[in-house]
Amino acid sequence: MAEEKDFDEFIEGNESDEELEDALEDSVKEEFKGELEQDIEEMERATFTVKGRECEIAFTRKRIDLYEERHTPIIASFYKNDGMFTFKELSAIAGYGLKLVGGCYFIPNKGEEIVNKLIEANGYPAVYQAVMLALQRDCAFLFMGAQNALSLA
């Protein structure tokens, strides 16, 4: 039982903040649903089991902003590295997006520690794919117009 208590200390925020943010995002997604080429609700969510609890990688604009306050902007890294992230970038990005399924996000530095173990256990490609799917699903605005930007470069 002590292990579960330690695990819960890595979670930040409270349920009501998360529910409010999710409700706001759902209303925005519904309002603009016809604008997207692919229905974001149909995109699969990759899940990982951490200490017997199901976790996923998911993003909100707030989580992206938190990441980019302390790190290189995601799209800048993505283009600089020809569509990939360094190991450290992938760990950090995924750490900011790691959360319990249906629950709260992990504190970013603890999330990054957990993601490093996920990469060791599942490999870089599996975690990279989960991050990219989550970014495309949850933050499609990051990639809109990407073809135009690439043709100008």
Side-chain angles (χ1 to χ4, degrees), residues 44-49 55-59 84-85 87 90-91 94 98 114-135 137:
E44 288 185 31
R45 293 182 179 269
T47 60
F48 301 94
T49 302
C55 298
E56 66 179 332
I57 296 174
F59 295 99
M84 299 300 286
F85 298 112
F87 184 86
L90 180 65
S91 296
L98 189 65
I114 293 168
V115 168
N116 282 327
K117 292 176 184 171
L118 289 174
I119 292 171
E120 289 174 17
N122 297 285
Y124 178 100
V127 176
Y128 173 81
Q129 183 177 8
V131 167
M132 289 307 296
L133 285 172
L135 286 170
R137 180 190 65 237

Side-chain angles (χ1 to χ4, degrees), residues 7 19 23-24 26 28 31 38 41 52 69 81-82 84 90 92 103 105 113 116-117 131 134 137 153:
F7 185 79
E19 290 170 7
L24 180 60
D26 289 344
V28 170
E31 187 174 330
Q38 183 175 1
E41 299 302 323
E69 285 175 10
N81 298 315
D82 295 323
M84 299 300 286
L90 180 65
Y105 285 91
E113 289 175 21
N116 282 327
K117 292 176 184 171
V131 167
R137 180 190 65 237

